[in-house]
Amino acid sequence: EPLTETLSNDATWSLCWSVDPQQGLVLTDINYTPPGAEPIHIAHSMAVAQLEVPYDSGERNTEDITDAGFGGTAMQTLTETECTGELVATAIPNIGDGTHGSTPTREVLCSEVADGGLAYRLNEGGEVFTDRRTDWTLTTISKVGWYEYLTVYTFGPDGSIRPSLGATGDLSPADYTDPEHG
């Protein structure tokens, strides 16, 4: 069943989602419907292709998507602390791609609608016309080694899609040149 969200200007986004063992969050069949118009097919599929992690020593560079993967056991279960919106669950394999082991259902996707800033402002003849916009954000967290990566897609009421990738977690104790400076 697709996820659907209508934003502040009555624009609607609709898409399907899944968790791939390597790519992590995968969005498919992405459609945007402007206010009062027919749906527009935006993209067939969207996912993070690769994450290069170069270390300051220059001795190591990891490719965390193709080497380790963002799905499966790397995909983290979310709580209300990480997500103030709706937690969405799906089946996530405990081992590899799910052909062996169990595949429990876990809440791994955060769907949030939040203030997206100023939508418009017009000062006409001494009268100010202004309003705020809402954005729809989909977020997952994947733990790879010492790091925890946030995969975030923000869908705007104007038809924009802003992908981002954040990093948190610990520094790898073996992969920096100077303990004092990291």
Side-chain angles (χ1 to χ4, degrees), residues 56-81:
D56 62 348
S57 66
E59 294 176 18
R60 196 162 82 107
N61 183 53
T62 64
E63 290 86 19
D64 282 353
I65 296 288
T66 55
D67 286 351
F70 271 22
T73 58
M75 185 63 62
Q76 300 296 289
T77 301
L78 303 177
T79 68
E80 291 82 17
T81 302

Side-chain angles (χ1 to χ4, degrees), residues 121-165:
R121 184 183 191 280
L122 171 65
N123 184 341
E124 183 65 36
E127 189 174 357
V128 176
F129 302 90
T130 187
D131 203 357
R132 311 277 304 167
R133 65 185 259 164
T134 56
D135 289 333
W136 181 34
T137 303
L138 299 175
T139 305
T140 59
I141 299 176
S142 301
K143 183 170 176 52
V144 178
W146 293 93
Y147 310 112
E148 300 197 23
Y149 297 108
L150 286 81
T151 301
V152 182
Y153 293 96
T154 302
F155 300 89
D158 57 358
S160 62
I161 302 173
R162 294 184 313 276
S164 61
L165 190 61

